């Protein structure tokens, strides 16, 4: 991907060198990228793609200053403050969801912030309205949180015999209350018992699985906390070990061995973040850029995992699945 | 070429650039420029401009065609998108609710939801309008809700028209949605109602590329933006009816005629070329817009290219014009400059031009002209020189004649004077004495006349060059006094010279001649009374004044008397009438010396002549010897031994006779050697008391050497020189040797005065 960009950059440079000369100011504009993880993951390429679509290429006409919290949420405010001190042109809060975006928002009211989250940005207080955000913050939401009911329905459809479903939430880094309420409503509609399990660290996740097993809970769903997004592999492994059918918000967990996922397409979301960052660099105001929602909702099913769990995935599910891993 | 450039360089060095850059140069440059420009314009650029115009029209037409095709394609795509949804929905309304299971319906619904990403929610209503099944991507499925939609448009319209397109609405404040209902072919198959997310229409729109910066978008039948490459505009729920092209297109949809291409402004305010295509079943409009700038870009580029070419052509034309004009003007300027120099008299000037054309021929003509001028000028000069030379020769001849005549005439006249003087002592009868006196008077007049004639000739010939020196005026006045006192006494007039200690700056000889002439004139014309000579001081000048108590000069004649041969009418009657050139000489001498002369005269009372001479600082000098008039001259001369040397025997005879009548012993000789021999005859102790020598003695001897020889033999004897040569050089030579010089013819009275002065000074 980098090589392609590089070549594309060369082409662009050759075609528009007078512009490039004009843009070659002593300091290139800097995008500060605040990320909860310790490295980029596959979907992050989409962000570069979005920047490229807007004519920005890292190292040529824009610099990207990475600040990674290595899964330590308490480091986010400090990293955000650092980006503010560096007076970056735009802060991209992408990777780490809502806590990353909130940390950035608390650090500055002037530097534009573009987020990528799975929650409702109005509910968590990032923007006043989706249509006209009004402040220095805008971004993309990829419909993770609001889909919990649908997820429980789908999970129940796969495992119709399930009497109880564990809802693993992260109370420290995430505010799962709304999601818990939605999950509870859905569980009531499905007539299953919802057991709330809390975990905010890998160790706690492991402990939660122990409790889940102790309490003989039939299935598992997680909230949209970034912890669970980043710990997809651990979740998949633990679920397999404990033979628990589970549904997750993002597809990457299914690719790591999770049973199924249902949620907005995060690749689309990161690409849109990239285009918004580019447009802000060109001078557009975040207050006037509406919060976008990814419209593509995708369902992934890992038949290998299902088979290992001894599950037969019903046709209605397979009909709906956008991706089936066999 | 080097020739021309050299000429050019010279012109520049002589401030010539201004010359080159003159009106002619500018005229040529302008003319050539105009010609080249017109040629350029007609042959190349105009053609180019026309072609640009045609090309632009073609370009525009093709752009618009592409745009229209794109818009139509997009409209077709959207139509297809809707149709596909319709047909997908059709699957769910094939069977009547009475047959088939709910599960079957659910499968159908799930398939539709997966295959059509834009459908977020699908509700299946039975034939009575009651909802049997609702499936959603966002919410949990609902089965058998039995909600009655029979009165709503999405059911009623669908039943009536088989398909229903609801208005576009916004979900959650930002998502454009539309309700699409499809009724089954069979009435009991019910209606499927889909909520369609129109953002996915964007996929269709965003793939439309209109030029570089153009774009396509879709507005619904309310004029609201429902698809745009910039999704935020769609989410922002933008009303597009503000755009002229949208209004026009909607009006056209309502039946009003419209232009196929609209020029309007897009949302960012850019001028755009807009075309549109309707999406048939929906009443939507797909617009394709291309910024006018971009449409014009090829035109601008072509114009720029043509402009640049034209500019380059102009620059070249200008340079060429400069070059050509210079080629034309430089030779002309060279000719001009050369002609100007020839005109200013530099006839050696030649114009060098090697253009090989008429200009070179012109330059040759100039050169030939200059040559001829030079030749004739040289001839003229030669003639003038010849003539001048001839004149000079003639003048010289005249001078020689005058000198010779003067010398040769003086000797006999001098002798004549001496003989007449002697005659006095031999004639005793009163009648005889009267005759001799008459002879004497006639002779004196002749002498004066003769001297004056020669003087004025010399003055007019301009051979007199004054020798300016500083000297005491007293000496001059003294000599005048001693000269004229006896003459005045003889006429019964008084003569007085007022002593002066002033020093003046003038030529002593010529100034003396001026005063002499004035006094001589005064003595001549004054019958009674006397003459006074004196000086009057004026700041740094002194005015030598000569007063007389003569008849005076009438005012109307005061200027005329300085003319030659002018005599007062009354003066003509007097017996001692002069030639009338005394004052003419005075006037000329005064002019020569730069001494102003003035005359004041009262008729019947007398006249005053004044000559103003610059003073000089007084120096210690010997007091002027005011010599008493030689009353006892004869007594002084008596018994003295006088040596007279002259190479003219008649002069010797005359002089000898005269001195003898004065009681002197006389030795007359033609050479100093003979004189010495004769002196010795008077005895070994004999010593001459006075030596008088002629200036020119022949054999290279002069009076000065003769006197020197006698003085060598007998010590410092008083001596003076007489000369028939009136050249001033003689006088100066004599003075330099300390000798007095008398000009022949010497009047006996003058001679006597000089002799007695000499002897008296010796006596002392």
């Amino acid at each position: 991907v980098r090589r392609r960009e590089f070549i594309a950059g060369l082409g662009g440079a050759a075609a528009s060198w007078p512009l490039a000369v004009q843009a070659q100011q002593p300091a290139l504009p800097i995008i500060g990228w605040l990320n909860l993880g310790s490295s980029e993951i596959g979907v992050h390429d989409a962000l570069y793609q979005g920047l490229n679509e807007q004519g920005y290429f890292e190292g040529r006409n824009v610099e990207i200053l990475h600040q990674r919290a290595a899964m330590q949420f308490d480091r986010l405010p400090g990293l955000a403050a650092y980006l503010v001190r560096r007076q970056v042109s735009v802060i991209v809060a992408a990777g780490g969801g809502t806590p990353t975006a909130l940390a950035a928002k608390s650090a500055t009211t002037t530097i534009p912030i573009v987020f990528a989250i799975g929650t409702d940005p109005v509910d968590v207080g990032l923007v006043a309205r989706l249509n006209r955000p009004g402040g220095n913050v805008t971004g993309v939401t990829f419909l993770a949180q609001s889909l919990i009911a649908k997820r429980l329905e789908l999970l129940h459809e796969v495992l119709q015999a399930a009497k109880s479903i564990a809802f693993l939430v992260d109370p420290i880094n995430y505010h799962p209350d709304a999601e818990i309420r939605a999950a509870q409503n859905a569980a009531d509609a499905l007539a299953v018992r919802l057991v709330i399990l809390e975990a905010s660290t890998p160790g706690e996740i492991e402990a939660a699985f122990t409790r889940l097993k102790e309490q003989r809970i039939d299935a598992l769903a997680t909230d949209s906390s970034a912890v669970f997004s980043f710990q997809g592999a651990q979740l998949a492994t633990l679920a397999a070990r404990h033979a628990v059918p589970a549904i997750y918000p993002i597809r990457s967990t299914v690719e790591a061995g999770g049973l199924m996922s249902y949620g907005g397409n995060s690749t689309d979301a990161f690409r849109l973040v990239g285009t918004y960052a580019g447009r802000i660099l060109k001078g557009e105001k975040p207050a006037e850029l509406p919060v976008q929602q990814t419209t593509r909702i995708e369902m992934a099913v890992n038949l290998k995992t299902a088979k290992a769990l001894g599950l037969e995935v019903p046709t209605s599910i397979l009909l709906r699945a956008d991706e089936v891993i066999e | 070429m080097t020739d021309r450039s050299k000429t050019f360089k010279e012109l520049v060095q002589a401030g010539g650039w201004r010359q080159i850059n003159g009106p002619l140069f500018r005229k040529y440059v302008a003319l050539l420029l105009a010609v080249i420009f017109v040629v350029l314009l007609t042959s190349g650029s105009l053609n180019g401009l026309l072609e640009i115009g045609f090309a632009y029209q073609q370009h525009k037409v093709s752009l618009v065609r592409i745009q229209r095709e794109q818009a139509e394609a997009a409209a077709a795509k959207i139509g297809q998108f809707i149709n596909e949804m319709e047909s997908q929905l059709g699957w769910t309304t094939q069977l009547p609710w009475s047959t088939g299971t709910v599960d079957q319906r659910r499968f159908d619904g799930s398939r539709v939801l997966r295959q059509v990403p834009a459908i977020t929610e699908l509700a299946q209503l039975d034939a009575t309008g009651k909802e049997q099944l609702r499936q959603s991507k966002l919410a949990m499925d609902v089965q058998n809700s039995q909600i009655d939609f029979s009165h709503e448009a999405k059911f009623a319209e669908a039943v009536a028209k088989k398909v229903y397109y609801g208005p576009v609405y916004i979900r959650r404040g930002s998502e454009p949605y539309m309700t699409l209902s499809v009724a089954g072919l069979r009435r009991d198959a019910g209606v499927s109602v889909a909520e369609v997310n129109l953002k996915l229409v964007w996929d269709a729109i965003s793939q439309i590329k209109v030029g570089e910066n153009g774009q396509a978008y879709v507005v619904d039948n309310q004029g609201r933006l429902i698809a745009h490459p910039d999704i935020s505009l769609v989410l922002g729920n933008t009303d597009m009816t503000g755009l002229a092209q949208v209004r026009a297109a909607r009006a056209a949809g309502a039946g009003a005629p419209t232009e196929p291409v609209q020029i309007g402004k897009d949302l960012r305010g850019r001028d755009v070329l807009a075309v549109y295509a309707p999406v048939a079943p929906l009443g939507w409009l797909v617009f394709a817009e291309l910024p006018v700038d971009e449409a014009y870009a090829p035109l601008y580029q072509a114009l720029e290219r043509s402009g640049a070419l034209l500019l380059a052509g102009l620059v070249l034309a200008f340079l060429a014009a400069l070059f050509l004009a210079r080629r034309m003007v430089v030779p002309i300027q060279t000719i001009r400059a050369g002609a100007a120099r020839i005109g200013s008299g530099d006839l050696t000037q030649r114009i060098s031009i090697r253009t090989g054309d008429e200009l070179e021929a012109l330059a040759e003509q100039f050169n030939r002209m200059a040559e001829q001028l030079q030749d004739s000028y040289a001839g003229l000069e030669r003639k003038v020189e010849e003539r001048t030379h001839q004149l000079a020769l003639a003048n010289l001849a005249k001078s020689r004649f005058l000198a010779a005549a003067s010398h040769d005439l003086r000797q006999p006249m001098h002798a004549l004077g001496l003989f007449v003087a002697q005659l006095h002592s031999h004639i005793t009868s009163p009648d005889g004495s009267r005759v001799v006196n008459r002879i004497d008077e006639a002779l004196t007049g002749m002498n004066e006349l003769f001297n004056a004639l020669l003087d004025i000739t010399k003055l007019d010939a301009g051979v007199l060059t004054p020798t300016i020196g500083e000297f005491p005026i007293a000496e001059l006045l003294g000599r005048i006094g001693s000269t004229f006192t006896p003459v005045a006494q003889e006429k019964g007039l008084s003569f007085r010279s007022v002593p002066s200690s002033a020093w003046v700056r003038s030529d002593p000889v010529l100034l003396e001649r001026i005063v002499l002439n004035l006094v001589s004139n005064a003595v001549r014309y004054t019958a009674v009374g006397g003459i006074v000579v004196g000086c009057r001081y004026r700041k740094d000048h002194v005015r030598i004044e000569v007063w007389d108590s003569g008849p005076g000069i009438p005012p109307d004649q005061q200027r005329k008397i300085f003319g030659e041969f002018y005599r007062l009418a009354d003066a003509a009657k007097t017996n001692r009438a002069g030639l009338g050139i005394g004052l003419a000489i005075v006037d000329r001498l005064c002019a020569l010396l730069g001494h102003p002369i003035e005359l004041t005269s009262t008729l019947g009372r007398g006249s005053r002549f004044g000559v103003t001479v610059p003073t000089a600082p007084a120096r210690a000098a010997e007091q002027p010897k005011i010599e008493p008039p030689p009353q006892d001259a004869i007594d002084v001369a008596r018994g003295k031994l006088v040596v007279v040397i002259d190479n003219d025997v008649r002069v010797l005879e005359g002089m000898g006779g005269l001195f003898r009548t004065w009681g002197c012993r006389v030795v007359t000789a033609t050479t100093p050697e003979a004189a010495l021999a004769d002196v010795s005859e008077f005895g070994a102790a004999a010593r001459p008391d006075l030596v008088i020598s002629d200036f020119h003695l022949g054999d290279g001897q002069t009076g000065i050497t003769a006197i020197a020889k006698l003085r060598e033999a007998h010590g410092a004897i008083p001596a003076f020189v007489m000369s028939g040569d009136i050249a001033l050089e003689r006088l100066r030579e004599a003075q330099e040797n300390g000798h007095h010089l008398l000009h022949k013819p010497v009047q006996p009275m003058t001679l006597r005065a000089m002799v007695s002065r000499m002897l008296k000074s010796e006596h002392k």
Side-chain angles (χ1 to χ4, degrees):
Chain A
V1 172
R2 285 297 144 74
R3 201 164 67 93
R4 229 177 22 245
E5 280 168 20
F6 179 66
I7 291 166
L10 273 184
S16 61
W17 69 266
L19 276 175
V21 166
Q22 209 173 26
Q24 248 175 28
Q25 291 154 346
L28 296 176
I30 301 174
I31 295 175
W33 188 340
L34 192 60
N35 185 1
L36 177 63
S38 54
S39 64
E40 290 180 18
I41 55 176
V43 293
H44 291 174
D45 279 347
L47 195 148
Y48 291 101
Q49 189 193 334
L51 276 177
N52 296 355
E53 281 173 16
Q54 292 296 320
Y56 286 96
F57 296 89
E58 185 183 4
R60 182 153 73 82
N61 56 3
V62 70
E63 295 286 358
I64 295 180
L65 179 58
H66 292 275
Q67 291 297 298
R68 297 180 180 131
M71 292 311 294
Q72 297 181 355
F73 286 88
D74 52 357
R75 285 185 59 195
L76 286 171
L79 299 176
Y82 173 75
L83 291 176
V84 173
R85 278 202 304 282
R86 284 289 303 270
Q87 285 294 306
V88 297
S89 306
V90 179
I91 295 174
V92 170
T98 316
T100 314
L102 288 171
K105 186 182 159 71
S106 326
T108 178
T109 56
T110 52
I111 297 175
I113 297 165
V114 184
F115 58 77
I117 60 170
T119 55
D120 185 330
V122 179
D123 283 354
V124 300
L126 279 168
V127 295
R129 289 175 305 277
L130 295 175
N131 196 355
R132 290 258 188 275
N136 63 323
V137 182
T138 186
V140 183
T141 171
F142 44 88
L143 299 173
Q145 178 193 44
S146 60
L147 296 175
I148 183 61
K150 197 71 192 173
R151 251 176 241 131
L152 290 180
E153 185 193 68
L154 291 170
L155 183 60
H156 188 256
E157 199 167 340
V158 173
L159 193 68
Q160 292 193 350
K163 295 290 179 238
S164 59
I165 296 175
F167 189 36
L168 186 62
V169 300
D170 169 9
I172 305 295
N173 310 303
Y174 189 71
H175 301 286
D177 296 354
E179 209 168 340
I180 288 171
R181 273 197 302 278
Q184 191 61 61
N185 289 339
D188 291 350
L190 293 168
V192 295
R193 186 167 61 95
L194 192 72
V195 178
I196 310 295
L197 295 176
E198 294 184 342
S200 294
T201 63
E204 288 173 3
I205 290 171
E206 191 142 7
F209 268 88
T210 313
R211 268 182 288 147
L212 179 145
K213 213 59 212 172
E214 284 167 2
Q215 296 185 26
R216 296 170 181 281
I217 298 168
D218 301 319
L220 171 73
T222 71
D223 73 8
S224 302
S225 169
V227 173
F228 305 131
S229 303
F230 281 96
Q231 295 299 318
Q234 188 198 11
L235 287 168
T237 310
L238 287 170
R241 189 193 302 163
H242 295 97
V244 179
I247 190 162
Y248 310 97
I250 61 166
R251 200 182 64 183
S252 59
T253 316
V254 176
E255 286 163 356
L259 177 62
M260 59 197 293
S261 70
Y262 189 79
N265 185 315
S266 53
T267 305
D268 279 359
F270 275 84
R271 189 173 55 76
L272 291 171
V273 167
T275 55
Y276 263 14
R279 285 171 64 177
I280 288 168
L281 286 180
K282 286 179 184 170
E284 291 194 52
K285 301 272 178 295
E288 293 165 10
L289 295 173
V291 175
Q292 295 195 47
Q293 299 175 34
T294 53
T295 45
R296 271 205 297 154
I297 296 163
E298 55 185 12
M299 187 166 93
V301 179
N302 194 326
L303 287 182
K304 238 161 60 183
T305 309
K307 202 174 171 190
L309 290 169
L311 287 173
E312 192 167 335
V313 180
T315 316
S316 63
I317 294 296
L318 291 177
L319 273 176
R320 282 195 169 186
D322 297 276
E323 190 175 1
V324 178
I325 298 167
E326 299 198 44
Chain B
M1 188 66 209
T2 49
D3 236 33
R4 194 162 45 245
S5 65
K6 200 167 139 198
T7 317
F8 173 67
K9 209 167 159 188
E10 283 168 6
L11 275 170
V12 169
Q13 277 167 357
W17 178 247
R18 277 186 70 127
Q19 288 181 336
I20 284 185
N21 200 9
L24 188 65
F25 182 68
R26 285 198 290 273
K27 223 179 282 177
Y28 271 132
V29 169
L31 191 69
L32 289 168
L33 209 57
V35 168
I36 297 172
F37 189 57
V38 165
V39 169
L40 265 179
L41 213 60
T42 50
S43 70
S45 305
L46 205 60
N47 213 353
L49 283 174
L50 283 173
E51 276 188 15
I52 290 166
F54 291 135
Y56 168 66
Q57 283 302 331
Q58 282 182 336
H59 178 74
K60 194 170 138 186
V61 166
S62 71
L63 274 181
V64 167
R65 197 172 60 231
I66 292 167
Q67 247 175 288
R68 183 182 301 285
E69 282 168 5
Q70 283 177 323
E72 282 166 354
K77 219 174 202 172
I78 292 166
Q80 197 184 347
F81 169 76
I82 299 293
N83 282 336
E84 196 183 314
M85 276 191 291
E86 281 175 33
S87 65
Q88 289 285 346
L89 288 177
W91 285 104
T92 61
T93 54
Q94 280 181 330
L95 297 172
W97 278 98
S98 51
T99 61
T101 61
V102 172
D103 274 351
Q104 184 60 48
R105 292 259 175 182
R106 277 189 66 193
F107 288 157
D108 289 345
S110 294
R111 194 168 53 236
V112 169
L113 283 177
R114 190 176 67 78
Q115 285 180 350
V116 189
I119 297 177
T120 321
E121 203 174 295
L122 177 65
Q124 298 188 35
L125 312 182
D126 65 15
T128 62
K130 297 219 170 60
E131 184 185 81
Q132 299 298 325
L133 178 65
R134 187 168 73 238
Q135 291 169 289
S136 169
K137 283 179 178 173
L138 304 173
M140 291 175 70
D141 296 351
V142 178
Q143 220 169 312
N144 203 19
S145 68
Q146 296 299 326
I147 301 167
D148 186 359
F149 290 107
S150 59
H151 299 296
E152 293 196 12
K154 60 185 174 186
F155 177 78
E157 293 256 337
V159 169
K161 296 177 181 169
K162 295 299 172 198
V163 62
Y164 163 73
Y165 311 106
V168 176
Y169 65 97
I170 306 294
R171 270 196 183 183
R172 287 171 53 105
S174 66
E175 302 285 300
Y177 270 86
M178 183 185 78
T179 303
L180 173 63
S181 307
V182 175
L185 288 172
R186 295 165 55 150
R187 195 166 162 75
D188 56 357
V191 174
S192 286
V193 181
E195 301 304 326
V196 182
N197 188 332
L198 294 178
K199 233 164 84 180
L200 293 176
V201 174
W202 170 69
D203 283 334
I205 293 302
S206 65
Q207 282 161 16
I208 300 176
K209 204 76 184 141
V210 185
E212 277 293 315
N213 295 305
Q215 55 200 5
Y217 57 90
V218 183
V219 297
D220 69 4
N221 45 17
Q222 305 297 313
R224 179 177 291 167
L225 188 68
I226 53 176
H228 195 279
D230 183 356
I231 199 82
S232 61
L233 292 173
V234 180
L235 297 183
N237 201 3
T238 310
D239 184 3
M240 301 296 278
T241 52
L243 300 184
Q245 63 267 37
V246 174
R247 272 202 309 275
R250 292 184 69 211
T258 177
E259 290 285 315
V261 181
Q262 299 283 326
I263 292 191
K265 293 196 185 294
D266 68 3
L267 287 173
R268 284 191 247 167
R270 295 183 302 184
D271 288 321
V272 289
L273 295 174
V275 299
Y276 71 94
V279 182
L282 299 166
W284 296 353
L285 297 168
V286 176
F287 283 88
E289 291 181 346
L290 181 69
V292 172
D293 285 352
E294 193 178 322
Y296 284 136
L299 177 70
Y300 291 152
Q301 278 170 8
L303 278 177
E304 265 172 34
R305 255 196 318 273
S306 292
L309 278 173
L310 199 63
L311 197 70
L314 262 181
V315 170
L316 275 175
F318 184 65
L319 290 176
L322 275 182
F323 177 71
L324 289 173
R326 182 176 295 172
R327 272 189 74 122
M328 291 166 87
V329 169
V330 164
I332 293 172
Q333 292 291 357
T334 310
I335 291 171
R336 199 182 69 91
R341 266 191 259 176
I342 291 169
S344 69
D346 181 5
L347 294 181
T348 58
Q349 177 69 23
R350 291 294 178 273
I351 302 163
S352 167
I353 291 178
R354 295 284 171 273
T355 52
D357 54 13
E358 287 86 343
L359 289 175
E360 186 176 335
L362 180 64
E364 279 310 308
Q365 289 288 344
F366 266 105
N367 287 343
R368 256 199 301 277
M369 188 185 81
E371 215 165 297
Q372 283 172 0
L373 271 175
Q374 198 179 9
D375 284 351
S376 54
Y377 193 76
L380 201 65
E381 269 186 342
R382 203 167 48 246
K383 277 178 195 162
V384 166
E385 215 167 280
E386 275 171 18
R387 190 61 50 84
T388 310
H389 187 62
Q390 285 170 1
L391 277 173
L393 284 178
N395 227 20
L396 196 65
K398 180 184 157 198
S399 297
R400 275 203 205 113
F401 166 75
L402 275 173
S406 136
H407 187 257
D408 290 351
L409 281 169
R410 275 162 198 272
Q411 290 289 64
M413 282 182 69
H414 182 57
L416 184 61
L418 297 175
F419 290 132
V420 172
Q422 288 171 52
L423 200 58
H424 281 294
S425 53
H426 297 293
I427 305 296
T428 48
S429 69
D431 282 350
S433 288
R434 214 179 62 234
V435 169
V436 171
N437 279 341
R438 287 285 175 277
I439 292 170
D440 204 10
E441 278 169 18
L443 191 62
T444 306
M446 216 167 105
N447 273 340
E448 283 174 8
L449 200 88
F450 190 62
N451 277 334
L453 255 179
L454 290 172
D455 282 349
I456 200 131
T457 309
K458 275 200 298 189
L459 275 169
D460 282 349
V463 297
L464 269 182
T465 39
T467 307
I468 304 295
E470 294 176 2
F471 56 93
I473 196 77
E475 277 180 15
L476 187 149
L477 293 179
R479 280 195 296 277
I480 295 292
S482 59
T483 304
F484 285 100
T485 304
V487 183
Q489 278 175 348
E490 207 164 82
K491 259 189 102 174
L493 300 171
S494 71
F495 184 90
R496 195 156 70 86
S497 175
V498 183
S500 168
S501 59
W503 279 60
V504 293
R505 197 177 151 69
S506 185
D507 182 310
V509 175
L510 298 181
L511 184 61
E512 188 168 338
R513 170 60 62 78
I514 292 169
V515 180
L516 195 86
N517 277 13
L518 289 175
V519 174
S520 157
N521 243 29
V523 170
R524 179 174 302 153
Y525 292 109
T526 304
V528 287
I531 290 101
V532 178
V533 180
C535 295
R536 196 176 288 268
Y537 294 96
R538 290 269 184 280
K539 241 191 327 186
D540 48 354
H541 287 83
V542 67
R543 192 166 70 191
I544 305 166
E545 295 183 347
V546 178
W547 297 74
D548 67 53
S549 55
I553 303 156
D556 60 324
Q557 297 185 28
Q558 285 183 2
R559 193 59 236 169
K560 292 184 190 166
I561 56 161
F562 292 105
E564 291 166 40
F565 310 112
Y566 187 84
R567 280 177 296 169
L568 294 173
D570 290 343
K573 297 170 191 161
T574 65
N575 50 358
R576 289 195 62 193
L579 194 57
I581 57 176
L583 284 177
I585 291 169
V586 165
D587 191 39
R588 280 163 174 76
L589 283 173
C590 282
L592 184 67
L593 292 171
H595 299 339
I597 181 160
E598 54 201 286
L599 164 63
T600 331
S601 183
T602 314
L603 214 54
R605 297 279 302 265
S607 307
R608 187 203 74 194
F609 287 87
V611 179
T612 305
V613 186
T615 49
R619 277 179 270 169
E622 66 272 36
Q623 281 295 310
K625 303 174 283 252
I626 310 283
E627 291 164 31
Q631 282 173 329
D632 49 357
I634 294 168
D635 293 332
V636 172
R638 189 171 301 278
K640 294 287 191 288
L641 180 57
V642 177
V643 176
V644 180
I645 305 169
D646 200 313
N647 57 350
D648 188 327
V649 288
R650 279 176 303 175
V651 171
L652 285 177
E653 196 183 333
M655 289 284 277
L658 187 62
F659 277 108
R660 277 185 203 99
T661 62
W662 292 346
C664 298
R665 295 176 294 160
V666 182
V667 169
T668 58
T670 55
T671 64
E673 288 77 18
L676 280 171
D678 287 353
V679 166
S680 61
E681 284 174 17
F682 283 91
R687 181 178 175 271
D689 294 298
L690 178 67
V691 179
I692 300 165
S693 177
D694 187 26
F695 197 92
H696 297 288
L697 294 175
D699 296 338
Q701 297 228 55
T702 66
I704 291 158
T705 57
I707 290 166
K709 276 181 181 159
L710 280 156
R711 279 183 174 172
E712 201 178 304
H714 299 287
I717 318 157
F720 65 91
V721 185
M722 299 206 300
S723 175
D725 186 348
I726 54 163
L728 280 170
E729 287 74 28
R730 300 291 90 75
L731 184 57
R732 294 222 166 87
E733 212 173 320
Q735 281 179 346
E736 275 163 22
N737 286 283
H739 303 308
H740 286 277
L741 181 125
L742 293 179
H743 279 134
K744 290 178 186 173
V746 180
Q747 285 181 273
M749 199 181 285
T750 312
L751 184 64
R752 197 171 64 187
M754 178 59 85
V755 167
S756 58
R757 204 167 83 197
M758 286 284 155
L759 291 174
K760 268 178 92 177
S761 61
E762 168 64 11
H763 205 63
K764 285 170 189 169

